């Protein structure tokens, strides 16, 4: 239970970053691919994680209609809402297909804490990804100028 509180949903952050940097098609393909791979290697219900991560993509898409993903405040809100949506949707699907599943009373507190931590870390990870892209671009420019 203690490790669930600090659950960082990195795939949701990467999906949001791809949505911001490369557009809807790339982000949707990434979400579908990651969900498919998780389904392929897990022993759970087939299609569950594909559907979950496509739902995360949909939540990011809808969130971008109301908040600006280019601002840190928008990043925190959109990523946090996408994580909350994912957790609630996961709970709903499990209860729908397996009514005997028991969830601890602290599930919603842990999910909320996880969403807030993931949302706050999203701004830092977005910054790191942007810096890595800038460093890579500088290296490419330097390599091209040395050749000439």
């Amino acid at each position: 239970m203690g490790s669930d509180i600090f659950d960082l949903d990195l795939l949701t952050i990467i999906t949001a970053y791809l949505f911001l940097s490369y557009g809807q098609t790339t982000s949707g393909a990434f979400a579908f691919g990651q969900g498919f791979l998780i389904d392929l290697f897990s022993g759970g219900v087939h299609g569950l994680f594909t559907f979950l991560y496509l739902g995360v993509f949909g939540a990011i898409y809808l969130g971008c209609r109301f908040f600006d993903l280019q601002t840190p405040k928008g990043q925190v809100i959109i990523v946090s809402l996408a994580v909350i949506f994912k957790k609630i949707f996961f709970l709903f699907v499990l209860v729908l297909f397996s009514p005997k599943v028991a969830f601890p009373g602290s599930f919603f507190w842990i999910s909320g804490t996880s969403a807030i931590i993931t949302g706050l870390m999203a701004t830092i990870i977005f910054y790191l990804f942007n810096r890595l892209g800038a460093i890579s671009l500088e290296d490419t420019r330097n390599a091209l100028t040395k050749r000439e």
Side-chain angles (χ1 to χ4, degrees), residues 15-148:
T15 304
Y17 181 79
L18 289 173
F19 189 90
L20 174 65
S21 299
Y22 299 101
Q24 300 170 10
T25 306
T26 303
S27 178
F30 177 78
F32 177 79
Q34 284 302 312
F36 181 74
L37 286 174
I38 292 171
D39 279 335
L40 189 64
F41 292 113
S42 72
V45 178
H46 296 295
L48 172 67
F49 288 100
T50 304
F51 198 56
L52 262 171
Y53 280 104
L54 284 175
V56 166
F57 167 73
I60 292 169
Y61 178 77
L62 288 176
C64 286
R65 299 238 177 223
F66 300 104
F67 301 102
D68 187 12
L69 190 58
Q70 294 180 355
T71 64
K73 180 181 175 182
Q75 293 167 2
V76 170
I77 292 171
I78 291 171
V79 170
S80 294
L81 289 176
V83 171
I84 285 290
F85 173 78
K86 178 184 156 199
K87 299 271 184 182
I88 290 173
F89 192 69
F90 184 68
L91 172 71
F92 176 72
V93 169
L94 283 182
V95 167
L96 182 68
F97 289 112
S98 182
K100 295 181 182 181
V101 173
F103 287 93
S106 60
F107 175 78
F108 291 106
W109 289 107
I110 290 172
S111 297
T113 305
S114 173
I116 291 169
I117 290 172
T118 301
L120 292 173
M121 290 299 294
T123 59
I124 296 168
I125 293 173
F126 275 38
Y127 174 77
L128 290 174
F129 284 162
N130 286 335
R131 291 299 304 156
L132 287 173
I135 291 169
S136 175
L137 184 61
E138 289 174 13
D139 289 342
T140 303
R141 284 185 191 150
N142 289 337
L144 289 174
T145 57
K146 286 181 182 178
R147 259 197 254 167
E148 295 173 2

